[in-house]
Amino acid sequence: MTAIKKPIAAALAICGKSLLSDSFGDKKTIIISISKKAIALCEIQSNIYITSLENLLGIKEFELVKKFIDEIPTGDQVDRVLVIDLHVNEALDSDESTYIKAQNLIKLNKIDPDIYRIALTVGAKLEKPGRQLNDIAFEGSKHYPELKESLLKII
């Protein structure tokens, strides 16, 4: 029975991702249902687990995503989960909290374009000093040169 769980979970996660990309009809209930089932069948923080979290994030089920992330010990969270958690933080918590969390991820050398985008977006809302925001944009541009213009536009 255990051998069949992983392929079923993978199929569910892929199905959820496919439903997300479809533009017709309301599939939110189905995506929630299949994502929960996929998460229940797979190992915590596996690619299937994370894809299912991303599917839930895609339909803005922030509270549900937070519930699943909270089940993972903070020190054990893989980078993709940290980025998903930052998105959830941006949706549910204060801009200041999100900015601090993004800054901490950057200091820990967690490299993902969304971390830089979120840090700059909330930093601009909070009217952080231009030098500070330029430093974030510069750091992001070092890792993602193709995003330099879009990062600078945020500030």
Side-chain angles (χ1 to χ4, degrees), residues 54 79-80 82-84 86-87 90 102-103 105-106 109-122 136-152 154:
E54 290 169 343
D79 289 359
R80 279 177 67 196
L82 292 171
V83 173
I84 293 168
L86 184 62
H87 280 284
E90 181 183 26
Q103 286 283 81
L105 291 174
I106 291 169
N109 288 321
K110 304 299 180 187
I111 300 168
D112 186 281
D114 285 351
I115 295 171
Y116 296 105
R117 283 189 200 108
I118 291 170
L120 291 171
T121 301
V122 296
I136 295 169
F138 176 75
E139 184 69 25
S141 297
K142 282 192 328 191
H143 299 290
Y144 302 98
E146 70 280 7
L147 298 178
K148 183 177 182 177
E149 280 186 46
S150 67
L151 293 175
L152 289 172
I154 295 172

Side-chain angles (χ1 to χ4, degrees), residues 13-69:
I14 291 167
C15 179
K17 193 168 208 66
S18 175
L19 287 170
L20 263 180
S21 63
D22 278 345
S23 59
F24 56 92
D26 178 26
K27 296 179 181 71
K28 187 173 184 173
T29 306
I30 297 168
I31 292 171
I32 292 170
S33 176
I34 62 177
S35 295
K36 283 179 168 181
K37 287 176 185 167
I39 287 169
L41 291 171
C42 69
E43 294 177 19
I44 202 163
Q45 295 196 100
S46 65
N47 283 332
I48 297 165
Y49 187 95
I50 293 169
T51 298
S52 296
L53 290 180
E54 290 169 343
N55 291 342
L56 291 169
L57 189 66
I59 58 170
K60 300 181 183 341
E61 281 295 316
F62 303 114
E63 293 286 347
L64 187 55
V65 174
K66 181 174 177 33
K67 176 184 158 291
F68 288 118
I69 289 175

Side-chain angles (χ1 to χ4, degrees), residues 86 95-105 122 126 128:
L86 184 62
D95 288 339
E96 188 65 38
S97 166
T98 303
Y99 185 75
I100 291 168
K101 189 173 259 191
Q103 286 283 81
N104 289 338
L105 291 174
V122 296
L126 293 168
K128 294 292 181 184

